[in-house]
Amino acid sequence: MAIRAGGARWWAWRAVVAAIGRAAAPGSLSHGEREKRMAVWRRVILAGAGIEAFLLALFAVAPLGGVTQTISPLARAWPWLLWPARTVFGAALVDASVTPSQGWPQLALFATLLVGAICAWGLAVWRAWEARAVETPPKGVPPPSLPSQAPRTTAGGVRWGLWLALGGAAVMGVTLALLPSLPSDDVFSYILYGRISALHHANPLIATPADFPRDPFLSLVYWQTTRSVYGPVWLGLSDVVARLAAALGGGLAAYVALFKLVGLLAHLVNVALVWAILGRIAPERRLAGALFYGWSPLCLLEFSASAHNDAVMLLLLLLGVYAI
């Protein structure tokens, strides 16, 4: 059974690579050019698979005592997310309270996996940089900024390059969104500020979380006596998320999942914006640029795992650059 499943995954991977190669290599290219282009795409995909492997390995290490400060509410709602850590290291190490001085081996292992993901990311960007040699139009032909404007020999590569960047970022983003621990507790502040507006009918720029002592999520917030430091755009979005989470039952997992979804969606839009901006000023670098941002383990960890609102801030910034 395992051999058949492994064989199926292998042939599925081969089909994906072949499909990308066919789309990126129209019939007007020679056999040698097609093979060269497929080899470049294959290297980029393999590097991306390396990033994903390291991110998946974090599932077994992130919830360990000495590494995490907070088990994700998603893991409380779906205990199977803690299964890898409990299987590899045992339930005692997951549930135990470990001081930093005792937990340094787990923290070192976590850091090693992150360094591995960063190295694989660097390799993916490097391979994407190599791809410019086979995607750049001949001398004297201006490269197009949009796939629809591209000549037949490059339109497939342009189209599949964007989908590769977005697809890889989406897979990695979902992986980290399901991480069984929270790298940051800021999401709890987002939840409270949204609830102050949507459910308590107060202004989070004036009222503090401590003004609502009966709120069930107050104990999770560190800055309980601090008014919102975020502007009206984010507070308005938090209000919408709070109302939607309340409509979905009001559980803590629903709030956290929705804020993570906002971060991931903003991140994916940012990938497309980076691609579009580079398509205007440096088309031969757009794949490398999109992967440099979109597949960055730091960005994915901050926006998908921690649900930080910097992703929305970057979206507005990139929209401004694109509009120039």
Side-chain angles (χ1 to χ4, degrees):
M1 180 74 70
I3 295 177
R4 286 199 298 270
R9 285 194 295 269
W10 166 254
W11 285 109
W13 176 83
R14 293 276 299 181
V16 169
V17 174
I20 291 178
R22 286 193 298 270
S28 57
L29 295 177
S30 67
H31 177 74
E33 290 172 325
R34 287 198 299 271
E35 290 298 319
K36 184 178 180 181
R37 181 170 288 180
M38 286 185 65
V40 170
W41 284 100
R42 190 180 299 116
R43 294 188 193 111
V44 173
I45 293 173
L46 285 174
I51 302 173
E52 176 67 9
F54 281 109
L55 298 183
L56 286 171
L58 291 177
F59 273 68
V61 180
L64 299 181
V67 175
T68 182
Q69 293 182 343
T70 305
I71 296 295
S72 172
L74 299 184
R76 302 295 187 193
W78 304 322
W80 57 268
L81 291 173
L82 292 170
W83 178 83
R86 287 176 170 158
T87 300
V88 176
F89 296 100
L93 196 54
V94 175
D95 300 327
S97 178
V98 180
T99 63
S101 60
Q102 296 172 325
W104 69 265
Q106 299 94 289
L107 191 59
L109 180 56
F110 184 83
T112 300
L113 292 175
L114 279 182
V115 170
I118 291 171
C119 291
W121 164 64
L123 179 61
V125 174
W126 177 38
R127 294 304 189 188
W129 179 255
E130 288 182 332
R132 77 192 192 285
V134 296
E135 299 297 341
T136 304
K139 228 175 190 183
V141 177
S145 59
L146 297 172
S148 59
Q149 299 171 344
R152 191 163 178 254
T153 56
T154 60
V158 169
R159 182 173 60 252
W160 276 98
L162 176 58
W163 285 115
L164 175 62
L166 287 172
V171 170
M172 298 170 198
V174 170
T175 299
L176 286 182
L178 295 174
L179 197 69
S181 67
L182 287 177
S184 170
D185 290 344
D186 286 354
V187 67
F188 298 135
S189 292
Y190 303 161
I191 292 171
L192 253 295
Y193 292 137
R195 287 174 60 85
I196 288 174
S197 173
L199 303 182
H200 300 305
H201 309 293
N203 185 348
L205 293 172
I206 299 174
T208 69
D211 293 335
F212 307 94
R214 294 186 179 181
D215 192 288
F217 304 141
L218 176 63
S219 61
L220 301 172
V221 178
Y222 181 77
W223 304 103
Q224 295 185 5
T225 58
T226 302
R227 298 180 181 90
S228 174
V229 297
Y230 309 112
V233 173
W234 178 252
L235 292 177
L237 185 57
S238 299
D239 179 284
V240 173
V241 171
R243 293 177 188 274
L244 183 56
L248 293 174
L252 183 58
Y255 280 94
V256 172
L258 287 174
F259 273 106
K260 287 190 174 194
L261 180 61
V262 169
L264 176 56
L265 291 178
H267 180 64
L268 294 178
V269 174
N270 291 344
V271 173
L273 286 171
V274 169
W275 179 277
I277 292 168
L278 287 175
R280 292 178 172 180
I281 60 177
E284 73 283 0
R285 301 179 184 179
R286 65 182 139 200
L287 179 59
L291 299 192
F292 183 83
Y293 168 77
W295 290 12
S296 166
L298 174 61
C299 292
L300 290 164
L301 197 67
E302 287 295 297
F303 303 152
S304 296
S306 297
H308 274 141
N309 56 14
D310 305 74
V312 176
M313 179 188 69
L314 280 175
L315 190 155
L316 298 174
L317 176 64
L318 290 170
L319 279 175
V321 173
Y322 181 75
I324 295 176

